[in-house]
Amino acid sequence: YFFGVANGEVGEQLLSEFGQKTDDNDASPCILYLTRGDTAQRFFQFDLEALEGFVKDHKFGLVTEINADTFGAVAENGLPVLLAVLSKQSDTASKELEAKIYAPAKALKGTFLTAKIDGDRYKRFLTRYGLSQKHFPCFIVVDFENERYWAVPSGKRLDTIADIEA
């Protein structure tokens, strides 16, 4: 199964290939559901800019895991990142720290992206922020866009933006 966005001339061509009616009154972007039997079903039409905004605003989960696949999107999202650096070598402390990130994640949504990273696996990457294994687990705030970062003491409560800025 495949979901796709049909828009403009390419969208009209795609729609006609799958037997979907296209005319001047019905040429706006829509989402298609394609099945293996070469059939398509039009779900709904929408404002493309509104959809792009929605996808951008909801691209990441409440707490995103940073790894080789997600790093680029996280770094380019435009928001500073509240990052929980976790370690299996300090498993109990890491689990406690990870649990603490969800409350501020809800409060900071839209202002910060909240994420976690495996410090053991990406320790070499984390050295650019002055972190080593002895610091894990910990919080760090990273502003990828402006290439700045701040260490956050792991015992500090992080419930509001003011807690992070302090």
Side-chain angles (χ1 to χ4, degrees), residues 24 42-43 48-49 51-54 67 71-72 75 82 92 108 110 113-114 120 131 146 154:
D24 291 338
R42 183 185 300 219
F43 272 97
L48 188 59
E49 286 181 24
L51 179 67
E52 288 172 347
F54 177 84
N67 57 40
F71 175 77
L82 172 59
T92 302
L108 299 171
L113 177 67
T114 310
D120 301 327
L131 298 175
N146 297 302
S154 58

Side-chain angles (χ1 to χ4, degrees), residues 104-138:
K106 290 176 186 173
L108 299 171
K109 192 155 180 73
T111 309
F112 281 78
L113 177 67
T114 310
K116 61 184 178 179
I117 190 168
D118 180 342
D120 301 327
R121 184 170 185 186
Y122 296 103
K123 63 184 166 218
R124 207 163 144 219
F125 163 76
L126 293 165
T127 60
R128 72 179 65 188
Y129 305 113
L131 298 175
S132 66
Q133 195 76 42
K134 69 181 179 182
H135 298 105
F136 307 158
C138 66

